[in-house]
Amino acid sequence: MKRNLLLVASVLFGASAMAQFVESNAPAVGDAATLYIVDSLAPNYAAETGASATWDYSATLGYQNETRDIQILDPTSTGNAASYPLSTKAQDIANFLLNYSTDDATGRVSQGFVFTEASLGEVVARFETDQAQLYTYPMDFGTAAIVDDYVGEVDYTFGVPQTAPMTGNLVAEVDGKGTLKLWGNDYTDVLRYKIMDTMHVTITGFGAMTMAREQYEYYDHSISNLPIFVHTRVQFGQTGGTPMSDISFVLSKDAPTEFVSVTKNELEKTAVYPNPATENLSIQLPSSIESANVEISDALGRIVYSAAVDASVKTVDVSNMNKGIYIVKISNGIHSTTKNVVIK
């Protein structure tokens, strides 16, 4: 935990414990909240910072009655408890990202996280060698930003369970305080916590991989010790190449009043097999789709195969392709979907 404090500044005079992050308002095991799903194309307002910021989501679309939970779990009750023996809390964000941590009077430290990736399955990152500093208490707008290195191992499954060493770096800060405008409600005493972290690992059959997260959490401690709004983007792929996964989600305490028009994407049912592949790759459209276009790109974004496919099974000879990760894009002019494939 090689931590450097940048932009050194004192906590603003007169700030109360309710207007900053301290141990007493850290979430506790058992805390939970149900948040509504907001359109993932909503802006993250990265440039809206400062002591009098306004983040206006009042006109953003959502998905009617679609919700996800944020909850603080007892780490011993989770499936990966044995990997995090020092942790006293596990924050589960929407069954998407599970963070393990401890809190004391000086701050919050992370022992790692669990993330599910389409090609690798459950990725278990353990910061055993050098843990990650997430908060230093008290923490407020104007408090020094945290820049921290972390070191450990990653467990994943690629054919068989494997473990690889990893390194990472994060920057965490309260980059603004002010007003969060939602649907019919303005929250005027909000702190925004921003964390950007990057993890590097070399995975057998994949090479050098990078996972990058950009996350904004909005807090009103007079309401809850959990965030009332979350904007997250996680990208995962070969270092320097096209991301294999690029996932965004936005969650809100208040329900949106206008909704995204949802049209079912049948192309998502396209079967691409076997995975990993060595000689041939089969592409089978769902029965409801008559034809589509297929492009196969390598991890650097270069198209190595392109063709039209119909209702029959399309067989692609991949025996001459270099080993590695490829992205299969299937589109029909209305919808599109992508699949990650490994060529061995």
Side-chain angles (χ1 to χ4, degrees):
M1 188 163 55
K2 304 178 185 72
R3 180 164 55 87
N4 299 309
L5 296 182
L6 301 181
L7 309 175
V8 177
S10 62
V11 175
L12 297 178
F13 289 107
S16 68
M18 293 298 290
Q20 58 187 324
F21 292 100
V22 293
E23 184 185 14
S24 62
N25 59 33
V29 171
D31 287 353
T34 297
L35 304 183
Y36 292 88
I37 298 179
V38 178
D39 185 1
S40 62
L41 297 178
N44 63 13
Y45 290 119
E48 184 62 21
T49 62
S52 300
T54 298
W55 305 285
D56 189 354
Y57 288 98
S58 60
T60 306
L61 303 179
Y63 295 88
Q64 192 166 15
N65 299 322
E66 289 288 332
T67 62
R68 294 292 185 272
D69 293 330
I70 292 182
Q71 51 189 331
I72 308 299
L73 306 174
D74 180 345
T76 62
S77 69
T78 65
N80 294 286
S83 296
Y84 303 98
L86 301 179
S87 300
T88 57
K89 300 176 185 178
Q91 183 184 52
D92 184 15
I93 302 180
N95 292 316
F96 169 73
L97 192 62
L98 187 60
N99 291 295
Y100 290 82
S101 64
T102 56
D103 280 284
D104 61 23
T106 63
R108 185 180 308 170
V109 176
S110 173
Q111 289 79 46
F113 62 85
V114 177
F115 169 71
T116 300
E117 201 286 321
S119 299
L120 299 177
E122 190 175 69
V123 177
V124 180
R126 296 175 283 110
F127 308 155
E128 293 179 321
T129 305
D130 191 347
Q131 300 177 40
Q133 186 80 41
L134 301 179
Y135 291 79
T136 53
Y137 297 143
M139 191 170 178
D140 196 353
F141 177 70
T143 305
I146 298 169
V147 178
D148 193 24
D149 298 324
Y150 52 89
V151 182
E153 293 182 323
V154 172
D155 298 331
Y156 63 96
T157 299
F158 181 52
V160 296
Q162 301 183 49
T163 299
M166 60 84 91
T167 60
N169 174 268
L170 68 80
V171 178
E173 62 181 324
V174 178
D175 73 340
K177 61 193 307 181
T179 299
L180 174 66
K181 301 174 72 68
L182 300 180
W183 303 268
N185 290 308
D186 289 354
Y187 299 93
T188 59
D189 191 21
V190 171
L191 294 174
R192 184 169 79 171
Y193 173 79
K194 173 186 177 182
I195 182 168
M196 300 182 69
D197 64 336
T198 306
M199 182 184 77
H200 302 284
V201 60
T202 298
I203 294 179
T204 302
F206 289 73
M209 308 292 291
T210 297
M211 175 179 167
R213 174 178 55 149
E214 183 176 13
Q215 184 162 303
Y216 299 86
E217 300 176 1
Y218 296 78
Y219 290 83
D220 183 338
H221 287 128
S222 67
I223 296 173
S224 174
N225 290 335
L226 292 171
I228 61 173
F229 197 90
V230 179
H231 194 301
T232 295
R233 183 181 185 186
V234 176
Q235 295 178 301
F236 183 78
Q238 284 188 309
T239 302
T242 302
M244 296 165 49
S245 300
D246 189 345
I247 304 171
S248 296
F249 69 86
V250 185
L251 303 174
S252 168
K253 171 186 177 295
D254 292 349
T257 55
E258 299 290 335
F259 306 106
V260 176
S261 176
V262 179
T263 302
K264 193 171 184 180
N265 185 359
E266 291 290 330
L267 281 177
E268 293 179 351
K269 299 178 182 178
T270 301
V272 179
Y273 60 92
N275 191 12
T278 54
E279 301 291 332
N280 295 304
L281 183 69
S282 297
I283 301 171
Q284 184 174 9
L285 297 176
S287 59
S288 58
I289 303 293
E290 294 183 358
S291 63
N293 295 315
V294 172
E295 289 183 349
I296 301 177
S297 303
D298 64 16
L300 296 177
R302 299 172 296 195
I303 297 174
V304 298
Y305 177 86
S306 178
V309 297
D310 56 24
S312 61
V313 177
K314 180 71 173 180
T315 300
V316 181
D317 182 0
V318 298
S319 60
N320 292 323
M321 293 185 185
N322 295 327
K323 295 180 180 180
I325 302 168
Y326 290 80
I327 299 172
V328 181
K329 180 180 179 181
I330 308 104
S331 60
N332 64 358
I334 300 174
H335 294 296
S336 66
T337 190
T338 59
K339 309 285 184 179
N340 296 325
V341 174
V342 177
I343 306 299
K344 295 184 64 177

